[in-house]
Amino acid sequence: MADKETPISDAVKKYAGLLRSSKNIIFHGAPGTGKTYLARQIAAFLISNGKHCDYDALSPEKQKQVGFVQFHPGYDYVDFVGGLRPCMGKDGTSMAFVPRDGVFTQFVNQAQEHPFALDGSMELPEMKRLMVQYLKAAQQDGRVLETKQKRPFTICQVDETAGTFVVEPRSNQDEKTLQPVAPLQFSELLTLLFEYFNLPEDDDKKQKEFTTVNYIASLLHQTTAKGSGYQKHSYYLPLLQPLKTYINDEQKASRATMRESPFVFIIDEINRGEISKIFGELFFAIDPGYRGKAGGVITQYSTLLQPDRETDTPPKKFYLPENLYIIGTMNDIDRSVDTFDFAMRRRFRFLELKADEHTEMLDQLEPAQAQTARACMRALNTAISQVENLNDHYQIGAAYFLKLKELSYDYDALWSDYLAPLLQEYVQGLNNEAEILGELKRQYDSARTA
Protein backbone atom coordinates (compact mmCIF):
# COMPACT_ATOMS: atom_id res chain seq x y z
CA MET A 1 0.00 0.00 0.00
CA ALA A 2 1.45 3.39 -1.01
CA ASP A 3 2.44 5.84 1.68
CA LYS A 4 -0.20 8.59 2.11
CA GLU A 5 2.45 11.32 1.98
CA THR A 6 4.09 9.95 -1.13
CA PRO A 7 1.38 8.73 -3.51
CA ILE A 8 2.58 6.94 -6.62
CA SER A 9 2.45 9.55 -9.38
CA ASP A 10 2.07 8.92 -13.09
CA ALA A 11 5.61 10.28 -13.50
CA VAL A 12 7.05 7.56 -11.24
CA LYS A 13 5.24 4.83 -13.18
CA LYS A 14 6.24 6.32 -16.53
CA TYR A 15 9.93 6.72 -15.75
CA ALA A 16 10.13 3.37 -13.98
CA GLY A 17 8.97 1.77 -17.22
CA LEU A 18 11.56 3.70 -19.21
CA LEU A 19 14.27 2.62 -16.80
CA ARG A 20 13.30 -1.03 -17.18
CA SER A 21 13.59 -0.87 -20.94
CA SER A 22 16.68 1.35 -21.15
CA LYS A 23 18.68 0.12 -18.08
CA ASN A 24 20.53 3.47 -17.79
CA ILE A 25 18.81 6.87 -17.64
CA ILE A 26 19.88 10.40 -16.72
CA PHE A 27 17.48 13.04 -15.43
CA HIS A 28 18.57 16.52 -16.46
CA GLY A 29 16.98 19.92 -16.12
CA ALA A 30 16.89 23.09 -14.08
CA PRO A 31 18.08 23.17 -10.44
CA GLY A 32 15.57 22.01 -7.87
CA THR A 33 13.33 20.06 -10.23
CA GLY A 34 13.44 17.04 -7.92
CA LYS A 35 15.71 14.82 -9.99
CA THR A 36 17.25 13.03 -7.01
CA TYR A 37 13.89 12.91 -5.23
CA LEU A 38 12.31 11.26 -8.27
CA ALA A 39 15.23 8.83 -8.65
CA ARG A 40 14.75 7.58 -5.08
CA GLN A 41 11.00 7.23 -5.64
CA ILE A 42 11.57 5.16 -8.78
CA ALA A 43 14.06 2.93 -6.97
CA ALA A 44 11.56 2.30 -4.14
CA PHE A 45 8.77 1.67 -6.67
CA LEU A 46 10.78 -0.99 -8.50
CA ILE A 47 12.12 -2.70 -5.40
CA SER A 48 8.71 -2.79 -3.69
CA ASN A 49 7.25 -4.33 -6.87
CA GLY A 50 5.03 -1.30 -7.42
CA LYS A 51 3.52 -1.26 -3.93
CA HIS A 52 4.83 2.20 -2.97
CA CYS A 53 7.48 4.75 -3.87
CA ASP A 54 8.80 5.64 -0.41
CA TYR A 55 12.46 4.70 0.14
CA ASP A 56 12.12 5.02 3.92
CA ALA A 57 9.30 2.47 3.86
CA LEU A 58 11.62 -0.20 2.44
CA SER A 59 12.98 -2.77 4.87
CA PRO A 60 16.70 -2.50 5.77
CA GLU A 61 17.40 -5.48 3.49
CA LYS A 62 15.50 -3.91 0.59
CA GLN A 63 17.30 -0.60 1.11
CA LYS A 64 20.55 -2.41 0.38
CA GLN A 65 19.25 -2.82 -3.17
CA VAL A 66 19.62 0.94 -3.66
CA GLY A 67 23.11 2.37 -4.10
CA PHE A 68 23.92 6.08 -4.01
CA VAL A 69 26.97 8.18 -4.78
CA GLN A 70 27.53 11.83 -5.66
CA PHE A 71 30.22 12.68 -8.19
CA HIS A 72 32.53 15.67 -7.78
CA PRO A 73 35.79 16.85 -9.42
CA GLY A 74 37.92 14.90 -6.93
CA TYR A 75 36.12 11.59 -7.50
CA ASP A 76 38.07 8.98 -9.48
CA TYR A 77 38.35 5.36 -10.68
CA VAL A 78 39.71 4.09 -7.35
CA ASP A 79 36.68 5.46 -5.49
CA PHE A 80 34.22 4.03 -7.99
CA VAL A 81 35.70 0.77 -9.34
CA GLY A 82 38.59 -0.01 -7.00
CA GLY A 83 42.32 0.19 -6.54
CA LEU A 84 45.11 0.39 -4.00
CA ARG A 85 44.32 2.14 -0.75
CA PRO A 86 46.62 2.94 2.18
CA CYS A 87 46.04 0.71 5.20
CA MET A 88 47.60 0.83 8.65
CA GLY A 89 49.51 -2.32 9.60
CA LYS A 90 48.66 -4.50 12.58
CA ASP A 91 51.48 -2.96 14.58
CA GLY A 92 49.86 0.47 14.25
CA THR A 93 52.99 2.10 12.90
CA SER A 94 53.60 0.72 9.41
CA MET A 95 51.60 1.58 6.31
CA ALA A 96 50.81 -0.61 3.32
CA PHE A 97 48.75 -0.33 0.14
CA VAL A 98 46.05 -2.96 -0.30
CA PRO A 99 43.39 -3.45 -3.03
CA ARG A 100 39.93 -2.21 -2.06
CA ASP A 101 36.66 -2.46 -3.98
CA GLY A 102 35.12 0.83 -5.03
CA VAL A 103 31.52 1.72 -4.14
CA PHE A 104 30.15 0.61 -7.53
CA THR A 105 32.05 -2.70 -7.49
CA GLN A 106 30.69 -3.46 -4.02
CA PHE A 107 27.15 -2.79 -5.21
CA VAL A 108 27.56 -4.86 -8.39
CA ASN A 109 28.95 -7.79 -6.36
CA GLN A 110 25.88 -7.62 -4.15
CA ALA A 111 23.57 -7.68 -7.18
CA GLN A 112 25.47 -10.62 -8.70
CA GLU A 113 25.17 -12.60 -5.46
CA HIS A 114 21.39 -12.23 -5.38
CA PRO A 115 19.90 -15.77 -5.53
CA PHE A 116 18.25 -15.21 -8.89
CA ALA A 117 20.46 -12.61 -10.51
CA LEU A 118 20.78 -13.60 -14.15
CA ASP A 119 24.20 -15.02 -14.96
CA GLY A 120 25.14 -14.84 -11.29
CA SER A 121 26.41 -17.84 -9.37
CA MET A 122 23.99 -19.45 -6.90
CA GLU A 123 24.98 -19.15 -3.28
CA LEU A 124 24.99 -22.21 -1.02
CA PRO A 125 22.21 -20.97 1.32
CA GLU A 126 19.81 -20.66 -1.64
CA MET A 127 20.87 -24.03 -3.02
CA LYS A 128 20.24 -25.58 0.38
CA ARG A 129 16.79 -23.99 0.61
CA LEU A 130 15.76 -25.46 -2.73
CA MET A 131 17.32 -28.82 -1.88
CA VAL A 132 15.25 -29.10 1.31
CA GLN A 133 12.18 -27.92 -0.60
CA TYR A 134 12.66 -30.79 -3.06
CA LEU A 135 13.15 -33.38 -0.31
CA LYS A 136 9.94 -32.28 1.44
CA ALA A 137 7.98 -32.45 -1.80
CA ALA A 138 9.37 -35.92 -2.52
CA GLN A 139 8.35 -37.08 0.95
CA GLN A 140 4.86 -35.64 0.64
CA ASP A 141 4.02 -37.22 -2.71
CA GLY A 142 5.73 -40.56 -1.95
CA ARG A 143 8.13 -40.21 -4.86
CA VAL A 144 9.96 -43.44 -5.66
CA LEU A 145 13.64 -43.13 -6.61
CA GLU A 146 16.18 -45.78 -7.58
CA THR A 147 19.77 -46.44 -6.66
CA LYS A 148 22.36 -47.24 -9.32
CA GLN A 149 21.59 -50.92 -8.69
CA LYS A 150 17.87 -50.32 -9.47
CA ARG A 151 16.83 -50.61 -5.83
CA PRO A 152 13.74 -48.42 -5.16
CA PHE A 153 13.54 -46.14 -2.12
CA THR A 154 11.45 -43.27 -0.79
CA ILE A 155 12.12 -40.34 1.51
CA CYS A 156 10.23 -40.72 4.77
CA GLN A 157 11.56 -38.01 7.11
CA VAL A 158 12.98 -34.51 6.57
CA ASP A 159 14.19 -32.87 9.78
CA GLU A 160 15.35 -29.26 9.22
CA THR A 161 16.28 -28.81 12.89
CA ALA A 162 18.66 -31.78 12.86
CA GLY A 163 19.70 -31.15 9.27
CA THR A 164 18.95 -34.75 8.29
CA PHE A 165 16.60 -36.86 6.18
CA VAL A 166 15.82 -40.59 6.17
CA VAL A 167 15.28 -42.93 3.22
CA GLU A 168 13.29 -46.18 3.24
CA PRO A 169 14.38 -48.94 0.86
CA ARG A 170 11.56 -50.87 -0.80
CA SER A 171 11.35 -54.46 -1.98
CA ASN A 172 11.42 -54.97 -5.73
CA GLN A 173 8.79 -57.70 -5.46
CA ASP A 174 6.00 -56.41 -3.23
CA GLU A 175 7.07 -52.79 -2.62
CA LYS A 176 7.18 -53.40 1.10
CA THR A 177 9.16 -50.93 3.13
CA LEU A 178 12.44 -52.33 4.45
CA GLN A 179 14.55 -51.15 7.37
CA PRO A 180 15.20 -47.39 7.03
CA VAL A 181 18.79 -46.29 6.40
CA ALA A 182 20.62 -44.27 9.03
CA PRO A 183 19.82 -40.54 8.70
CA LEU A 184 21.51 -38.79 5.78
CA GLN A 185 23.03 -35.34 6.22
CA PHE A 186 21.90 -32.13 4.50
CA SER A 187 25.51 -30.91 4.65
CA GLU A 188 26.86 -33.97 2.84
CA LEU A 189 24.23 -33.87 0.12
CA LEU A 190 24.81 -30.12 -0.32
CA THR A 191 28.55 -30.65 -0.73
CA LEU A 192 27.96 -33.21 -3.45
CA LEU A 193 25.27 -31.11 -5.11
CA PHE A 194 27.52 -28.06 -5.32
CA GLU A 195 30.27 -30.16 -6.93
CA TYR A 196 27.74 -31.71 -9.29
CA PHE A 197 26.55 -28.29 -10.47
CA ASN A 198 30.11 -27.33 -11.33
CA LEU A 199 30.87 -30.58 -13.15
CA PRO A 200 31.90 -29.93 -16.82
CA GLU A 201 29.09 -31.26 -18.99
CA ASP A 202 31.40 -31.89 -21.94
CA ASP A 203 33.88 -34.01 -19.98
CA ASP A 204 32.64 -37.62 -20.26
CA LYS A 205 35.48 -38.97 -18.16
CA LYS A 206 34.66 -36.76 -15.19
CA GLN A 207 30.95 -37.39 -15.63
CA LYS A 208 31.45 -41.17 -15.36
CA GLU A 209 33.86 -40.83 -12.47
CA PHE A 210 31.38 -38.74 -10.52
CA THR A 211 28.70 -41.44 -10.75
CA THR A 212 30.74 -43.91 -8.70
CA VAL A 213 30.24 -44.47 -5.00
CA ASN A 214 34.01 -44.38 -4.47
CA TYR A 215 34.22 -40.88 -5.91
CA ILE A 216 31.26 -39.72 -3.81
CA ALA A 217 33.01 -41.06 -0.73
CA SER A 218 36.25 -39.29 -1.62
CA LEU A 219 34.46 -35.95 -1.85
CA LEU A 220 33.09 -36.52 1.64
CA HIS A 221 36.45 -37.77 2.89
CA GLN A 222 34.91 -41.07 3.95
CA THR A 223 35.46 -44.75 3.22
CA THR A 224 33.28 -47.06 1.16
CA ALA A 225 33.40 -50.09 3.43
CA LYS A 226 30.30 -52.27 3.16
CA GLY A 227 27.65 -51.31 5.69
CA SER A 228 25.64 -48.23 6.56
CA GLY A 229 28.33 -45.89 5.22
CA TYR A 230 28.27 -47.59 1.83
CA GLN A 231 24.49 -47.48 1.82
CA LYS A 232 24.51 -43.72 2.48
CA HIS A 233 26.77 -43.01 -0.49
CA SER A 234 24.61 -45.10 -2.81
CA TYR A 235 21.50 -43.10 -1.82
CA TYR A 236 23.12 -39.69 -2.28
CA LEU A 237 24.01 -40.41 -5.90
CA PRO A 238 20.50 -40.87 -7.39
CA LEU A 239 19.33 -37.62 -5.78
CA LEU A 240 21.83 -35.39 -7.57
CA GLN A 241 20.35 -35.26 -11.06
CA PRO A 242 16.71 -34.80 -9.92
CA LEU A 243 17.87 -32.05 -7.57
CA LYS A 244 19.82 -30.29 -10.31
CA THR A 245 16.82 -30.42 -12.65
CA TYR A 246 14.50 -29.15 -9.90
CA ILE A 247 16.78 -26.24 -8.95
CA ASN A 248 17.31 -25.23 -12.56
CA ASP A 249 13.55 -25.23 -13.14
CA GLU A 250 13.01 -23.11 -10.03
CA GLN A 251 15.63 -20.62 -11.22
CA LYS A 252 14.00 -20.35 -14.64
CA ALA A 253 10.62 -19.74 -13.04
CA SER A 254 12.12 -17.08 -10.76
CA ARG A 255 13.80 -15.32 -13.66
CA ALA A 256 10.34 -14.69 -15.05
CA THR A 257 9.67 -12.62 -11.90
CA MET A 258 13.04 -10.91 -11.95
CA ARG A 259 11.29 -7.55 -11.74
CA GLU A 260 10.67 -8.22 -8.06
CA SER A 261 14.36 -8.00 -7.21
CA PRO A 262 16.05 -5.15 -9.08
CA PHE A 263 19.10 -3.24 -7.85
CA VAL A 264 19.17 0.51 -8.56
CA PHE A 265 22.36 2.58 -8.41
CA ILE A 266 21.84 6.37 -8.27
CA ILE A 267 24.67 8.70 -9.36
CA ASP A 268 23.84 12.22 -8.23
CA GLU A 269 25.49 15.12 -10.09
CA ILE A 270 26.91 12.64 -12.56
CA ASN A 271 28.34 15.36 -14.81
CA ARG A 272 30.43 16.95 -12.04
CA GLY A 273 32.97 14.12 -12.23
CA GLU A 274 35.34 13.28 -15.04
CA ILE A 275 33.15 10.51 -16.44
CA SER A 276 35.65 8.69 -18.66
CA LYS A 277 38.23 8.61 -15.89
CA ILE A 278 35.79 7.39 -13.24
CA PHE A 279 34.20 4.61 -15.29
CA GLY A 280 37.38 3.53 -17.11
CA GLU A 281 36.79 0.21 -18.90
CA LEU A 282 33.21 0.01 -17.59
CA PHE A 283 31.88 2.15 -20.44
CA PHE A 284 31.54 -1.16 -22.31
CA ALA A 285 30.09 -3.21 -19.43
CA ILE A 286 27.36 -0.68 -18.59
CA ASP A 287 26.06 -0.71 -22.17
CA PRO A 288 22.46 -2.05 -21.99
CA GLY A 289 23.28 -4.42 -24.86
CA TYR A 290 26.19 -6.06 -23.04
CA ARG A 291 24.75 -6.97 -19.65
CA GLY A 292 25.61 -10.36 -18.16
CA LYS A 293 28.78 -12.42 -18.38
CA ALA A 294 28.90 -12.07 -22.17
CA GLY A 295 29.68 -8.38 -21.69
CA GLY A 296 32.34 -8.90 -19.02
CA VAL A 297 35.54 -6.86 -19.21
CA ILE A 298 38.95 -7.21 -17.59
CA THR A 299 39.46 -4.04 -15.61
CA GLN A 300 42.60 -2.34 -14.43
CA TYR A 301 41.47 -3.09 -10.89
CA SER A 302 40.86 -6.81 -11.55
CA THR A 303 44.51 -7.28 -12.49
CA LEU A 304 45.46 -6.21 -8.95
CA LEU A 305 43.36 -9.09 -7.60
CA GLN A 306 44.93 -11.74 -9.83
CA PRO A 307 46.23 -14.41 -7.42
CA ASP A 308 49.28 -15.42 -9.45
CA ARG A 309 50.42 -13.23 -12.31
CA GLU A 310 52.99 -15.79 -13.41
CA THR A 311 50.29 -18.23 -14.49
CA ASP A 312 48.15 -18.05 -17.60
CA THR A 313 44.96 -17.69 -15.56
CA PRO A 314 43.25 -14.48 -16.69
CA PRO A 315 41.85 -12.01 -14.12
CA LYS A 316 38.18 -12.22 -13.20
CA LYS A 317 35.96 -10.28 -15.58
CA PHE A 318 33.67 -7.50 -14.39
CA TYR A 319 30.07 -7.57 -15.60
CA LEU A 320 26.72 -6.04 -14.72
CA PRO A 321 23.81 -8.45 -14.10
CA GLU A 322 20.53 -7.94 -15.91
CA ASN A 323 18.76 -6.83 -12.73
CA LEU A 324 20.96 -3.76 -12.16
CA TYR A 325 19.77 -0.30 -13.23
CA ILE A 326 21.56 3.06 -13.19
CA ILE A 327 19.95 6.47 -12.67
CA GLY A 328 22.05 9.61 -13.07
CA THR A 329 21.07 13.20 -12.31
CA MET A 330 22.58 16.46 -13.61
CA ASN A 331 21.84 20.17 -13.88
CA ASP A 332 21.80 21.55 -17.41
CA ILE A 333 23.43 24.83 -16.40
CA ASP A 334 26.42 23.13 -14.76
CA ARG A 335 29.44 24.06 -16.84
CA SER A 336 31.11 20.69 -16.19
CA VAL A 337 28.60 19.04 -18.52
CA ASP A 338 31.33 19.03 -21.18
CA THR A 339 33.05 16.12 -19.36
CA PHE A 340 30.34 13.81 -20.74
CA ASP A 341 31.91 12.36 -23.89
CA PHE A 342 29.95 10.83 -26.75
CA ALA A 343 30.94 7.22 -25.89
CA MET A 344 29.26 7.56 -22.48
CA ARG A 345 26.35 9.69 -23.68
CA ARG A 346 25.04 7.03 -26.04
CA ARG A 347 24.90 4.49 -23.20
CA PHE A 348 22.34 6.57 -21.29
CA ARG A 349 18.82 7.71 -22.07
CA PHE A 350 18.50 11.43 -21.28
CA LEU A 351 15.17 12.53 -19.80
CA GLU A 352 14.49 16.22 -19.18
CA LEU A 353 12.61 17.35 -16.08
CA LYS A 354 11.15 20.82 -16.52
CA ALA A 355 10.53 23.16 -13.61
CA ASP A 356 6.76 23.22 -14.15
CA GLU A 357 6.51 19.41 -14.22
CA HIS A 358 6.48 16.88 -11.38
CA THR A 359 5.63 19.41 -8.67
CA GLU A 360 3.90 16.75 -6.59
CA MET A 361 6.56 17.20 -3.91
CA LEU A 362 4.90 20.52 -2.97
CA ASP A 363 1.96 18.50 -1.64
CA GLN A 364 4.11 17.99 1.44
CA LEU A 365 3.32 21.63 2.34
CA GLU A 366 0.08 22.76 3.93
CA PRO A 367 -2.64 22.89 1.20
CA ALA A 368 -2.96 26.70 1.12
CA GLN A 369 0.81 27.15 1.22
CA ALA A 370 1.32 24.62 -1.56
CA GLN A 371 -1.02 26.65 -3.76
CA THR A 372 0.85 29.89 -2.98
CA ALA A 373 4.23 28.23 -3.56
CA ARG A 374 3.11 26.99 -6.99
CA ALA A 375 1.92 30.48 -7.92
CA CYS A 376 5.23 32.07 -6.86
CA MET A 377 7.20 29.44 -8.76
CA ARG A 378 5.19 29.92 -11.95
CA ALA A 379 5.46 33.70 -11.84
CA LEU A 380 9.18 33.66 -11.11
CA ASN A 381 9.95 31.14 -13.86
CA THR A 382 7.92 33.07 -16.41
CA ALA A 383 9.95 36.17 -15.57
CA ILE A 384 13.24 34.25 -15.80
CA SER A 385 12.41 32.93 -19.26
CA GLN A 386 11.89 36.54 -20.44
CA VAL A 387 15.39 37.62 -19.40
CA GLU A 388 17.80 37.91 -22.30
CA ASN A 389 20.53 35.21 -22.28
CA LEU A 390 18.52 33.03 -19.90
CA ASN A 391 16.18 30.16 -20.82
CA ASP A 392 14.17 27.29 -19.29
CA HIS A 393 17.35 25.67 -17.96
CA TYR A 394 17.68 28.57 -15.49
CA GLN A 395 14.22 28.23 -14.00
CA ILE A 396 13.65 27.34 -10.34
CA GLY A 397 12.38 23.88 -9.40
CA ALA A 398 9.90 22.93 -6.70
CA ALA A 399 12.59 21.60 -4.35
CA TYR A 400 13.57 25.17 -3.46
CA PHE A 401 10.01 25.90 -2.30
CA LEU A 402 9.99 22.85 -0.02
CA LYS A 403 12.33 24.87 2.21
CA LEU A 404 9.32 26.97 3.17
CA LYS A 405 8.35 24.27 5.66
CA GLU A 406 11.56 24.63 7.66
CA LEU A 407 11.36 28.44 7.31
CA SER A 408 7.87 28.48 8.88
CA TYR A 409 6.55 29.71 5.52
CA ASP A 410 8.61 32.90 5.58
CA TYR A 411 8.66 33.82 1.88
CA ASP A 412 11.00 36.76 2.47
CA ALA A 413 13.58 34.43 4.05
CA LEU A 414 13.23 32.01 1.14
CA TRP A 415 13.96 34.84 -1.28
CA SER A 416 16.88 36.41 0.59
CA ASP A 417 18.60 33.22 1.74
CA TYR A 418 18.03 30.83 -1.19
CA LEU A 419 16.52 32.33 -4.34
CA ALA A 420 18.28 35.70 -4.58
CA PRO A 421 21.83 34.27 -4.26
CA LEU A 422 21.10 31.75 -7.05
CA LEU A 423 19.52 34.37 -9.31
CA GLN A 424 22.45 36.70 -8.65
CA GLU A 425 24.73 34.05 -10.13
CA TYR A 426 22.43 33.77 -13.14
CA VAL A 427 22.48 37.46 -14.03
CA GLN A 428 26.06 38.21 -13.08
CA GLY A 429 27.76 39.93 -16.01
CA LEU A 430 24.48 40.89 -17.72
CA ASN A 431 23.46 44.47 -18.30
CA ASN A 432 21.25 45.99 -15.59
CA GLU A 433 21.76 43.22 -13.04
CA ALA A 434 19.99 45.14 -10.28
CA GLU A 435 17.05 45.98 -12.53
CA ILE A 436 16.63 42.33 -13.58
CA LEU A 437 16.74 41.11 -9.97
CA GLY A 438 14.25 43.79 -8.99
CA GLU A 439 11.80 42.68 -11.66
CA LEU A 440 12.16 39.02 -10.62
CA LYS A 441 11.47 40.01 -7.02
CA ARG A 442 8.38 42.00 -8.02
CA GLN A 443 6.94 39.03 -9.91
CA TYR A 444 7.64 36.76 -6.96
CA ASP A 445 5.98 39.12 -4.47
CA SER A 446 2.94 39.82 -6.64
CA ALA A 447 2.14 36.10 -6.95
CA ARG A 448 2.61 35.62 -3.24
CA THR A 449 0.11 38.34 -2.31
CA ALA A 450 -2.40 37.70 -5.07
mmCIF file of all heavy atoms in Angstrom, residues 85-98 100:
data_model
loop_
_atom_site.group_PDB
_atom_site.id
_atom_site.type_symbol
_atom_site.label_atom_id
_atom_site.label_comp_id
_atom_site.label_asym_id
_atom_site.label_seq_id
_atom_site.Cartn_x
_atom_site.Cartn_y
_atom_site.Cartn_z
ATOM 1 N N ARG A 85 44.607 1.170 -1.794
ATOM 2 C CA ARG A 85 44.316 2.139 -0.751
ATOM 3 C C ARG A 85 45.306 1.963 0.401
ATOM 4 O O ARG A 85 45.685 0.831 0.729
ATOM 5 C CB ARG A 85 42.901 1.931 -0.209
ATOM 6 C CG ARG A 85 41.792 2.387 -1.150
ATOM 7 C CD ARG A 85 41.775 3.886 -1.262
ATOM 8 N NE ARG A 85 40.548 4.370 -1.872
ATOM 9 C CZ ARG A 85 40.338 5.637 -2.168
ATOM 10 N NH1 ARG A 85 41.282 6.520 -1.913
ATOM 11 N NH2 ARG A 85 39.213 6.023 -2.721
ATOM 12 N N PRO A 86 45.709 3.060 1.030
ATOM 13 C CA PRO A 86 46.616 2.935 2.180
ATOM 14 C C PRO A 86 45.905 2.285 3.357
ATOM 15 O O PRO A 86 44.718 2.544 3.610
ATOM 16 C CB PRO A 86 47.008 4.381 2.483
ATOM 17 C CG PRO A 86 45.912 5.203 1.902
ATOM 18 C CD PRO A 86 45.421 4.452 0.702
ATOM 19 N N CYS A 87 46.616 1.419 4.054
ATOM 20 C CA CYS A 87 46.036 0.715 5.197
ATOM 21 C C CYS A 87 47.083 0.606 6.297
ATOM 22 O O CYS A 87 48.241 0.254 6.032
ATOM 23 C CB CYS A 87 45.569 -0.671 4.763
ATOM 24 S SG CYS A 87 44.831 -1.661 6.090
ATOM 25 N N MET A 88 46.680 0.906 7.525
ATOM 26 C CA MET A 88 47.596 0.829 8.655
ATOM 27 C C MET A 88 47.864 -0.625 9.007
ATOM 28 O O MET A 88 46.957 -1.452 9.014
ATOM 29 C CB MET A 88 46.998 1.551 9.862
ATOM 30 C CG MET A 88 47.950 1.672 11.051
ATOM 31 S SD MET A 88 49.358 2.747 10.713
ATOM 32 C CE MET A 88 48.545 4.337 10.671
ATOM 33 N N GLY A 89 49.128 -0.964 9.239
ATOM 34 C CA GLY A 89 49.514 -2.318 9.597
ATOM 35 C C GLY A 89 49.031 -2.707 10.978
ATOM 36 O O GLY A 89 48.585 -1.866 11.765
ATOM 37 N N LYS A 90 49.134 -4.002 11.293
ATOM 38 C CA LYS A 90 48.660 -4.497 12.584
ATOM 39 C C LYS A 90 49.438 -3.906 13.755
ATOM 40 O O LYS A 90 48.925 -3.794 14.862
ATOM 41 C CB LYS A 90 48.752 -6.023 12.614
ATOM 42 C CG LYS A 90 47.794 -6.714 11.664
ATOM 43 C CD LYS A 90 47.888 -8.218 11.789
ATOM 44 C CE LYS A 90 46.908 -8.922 10.859
ATOM 45 N NZ LYS A 90 46.990 -10.396 10.965
ATOM 46 N N ASP A 91 50.693 -3.521 13.492
ATOM 47 C CA ASP A 91 51.485 -2.961 14.579
ATOM 48 C C ASP A 91 51.136 -1.504 14.857
ATOM 49 O O ASP A 91 51.622 -0.904 15.820
ATOM 50 C CB ASP A 91 52.984 -3.089 14.265
ATOM 51 C CG ASP A 91 53.365 -2.411 12.953
ATOM 52 O OD1 ASP A 91 52.494 -1.740 12.353
ATOM 53 O OD2 ASP A 91 54.522 -2.559 12.524
ATOM 54 N N GLY A 92 50.297 -0.897 14.028
ATOM 55 C CA GLY A 92 49.860 0.467 14.254
ATOM 56 C C GLY A 92 50.850 1.526 13.831
ATOM 57 O O GLY A 92 50.587 2.719 13.992
ATOM 58 N N THR A 93 51.974 1.121 13.290
ATOM 59 C CA THR A 93 52.990 2.101 12.900
ATOM 60 C C THR A 93 53.319 2.042 11.408
ATOM 61 O O THR A 93 53.644 3.055 10.801
ATOM 62 C CB THR A 93 54.294 1.874 13.696
ATOM 63 O OG1 THR A 93 54.755 0.539 13.455
ATOM 64 C CG2 THR A 93 54.041 2.070 15.184
ATOM 65 N N SER A 94 53.249 0.868 10.812
ATOM 66 C CA SER A 94 53.599 0.719 9.405
ATOM 67 C C SER A 94 52.382 0.961 8.513
ATOM 68 O O SER A 94 51.245 0.838 8.950
ATOM 69 C CB SER A 94 54.167 -0.675 9.143
ATOM 70 O OG SER A 94 53.213 -1.660 9.468
ATOM 71 N N MET A 95 52.649 1.301 7.269
ATOM 72 C CA MET A 95 51.595 1.575 6.307
ATOM 73 C C MET A 95 51.815 0.717 5.072
ATOM 74 O O MET A 95 52.947 0.524 4.624
ATOM 75 C CB MET A 95 51.591 3.058 5.929
ATOM 76 C CG MET A 95 50.479 3.469 4.991
ATOM 77 S SD MET A 95 48.890 3.580 5.818
ATOM 78 C CE MET A 95 49.122 5.087 6.764
ATOM 79 N N ALA A 96 50.725 0.195 4.530
ATOM 80 C CA ALA A 96 50.815 -0.614 3.319
ATOM 81 C C ALA A 96 49.656 -0.244 2.393
ATOM 82 O O ALA A 96 48.651 0.317 2.828
ATOM 83 C CB ALA A 96 50.759 -2.099 3.656
ATOM 84 N N PHE A 97 49.818 -0.556 1.117
ATOM 85 C CA PHE A 97 48.751 -0.326 0.140
ATOM 86 C C PHE A 97 48.100 -1.664 -0.198
ATOM 87 O O PHE A 97 48.782 -2.620 -0.573
ATOM 88 C CB PHE A 97 49.307 0.329 -1.123
ATOM 89 C CG PHE A 97 49.605 1.782 -0.953
ATOM 90 C CD1 PHE A 97 50.830 2.209 -0.468
ATOM 91 C CD2 PHE A 97 48.641 2.738 -1.262
ATOM 92 C CE1 PHE A 97 51.107 3.553 -0.302
ATOM 93 C CE2 PHE A 97 48.899 4.082 -1.099
ATOM 94 C CZ PHE A 97 50.144 4.495 -0.615
ATOM 95 N N VAL A 98 46.787 -1.720 -0.051
ATOM 96 C CA VAL A 98 46.048 -2.958 -0.300
ATOM 97 C C VAL A 98 44.911 -2.671 -1.279
ATOM 98 O O VAL A 98 44.372 -1.557 -1.322
ATOM 99 C CB VAL A 98 45.485 -3.544 1.008
ATOM 100 C CG1 VAL A 98 46.592 -3.971 1.937
ATOM 101 C CG2 VAL A 98 44.571 -2.543 1.691
ATOM 102 N N ARG A 100 41.242 -2.411 -2.671
ATOM 103 C CA ARG A 100 39.932 -2.214 -2.058
ATOM 104 C C ARG A 100 38.894 -1.997 -3.162
ATOM 105 O O ARG A 100 39.113 -1.233 -4.097
ATOM 106 C CB ARG A 100 39.937 -0.985 -1.141
ATOM 107 C CG ARG A 100 40.706 -1.186 0.163
ATOM 108 C CD ARG A 100 39.869 -1.975 1.167
ATOM 109 N NE ARG A 100 40.491 -2.000 2.478
ATOM 110 C CZ ARG A 100 41.314 -2.939 2.909
ATOM 111 N NH1 ARG A 100 41.625 -3.949 2.109
ATOM 112 N NH2 ARG A 100 41.833 -2.894 4.120
#
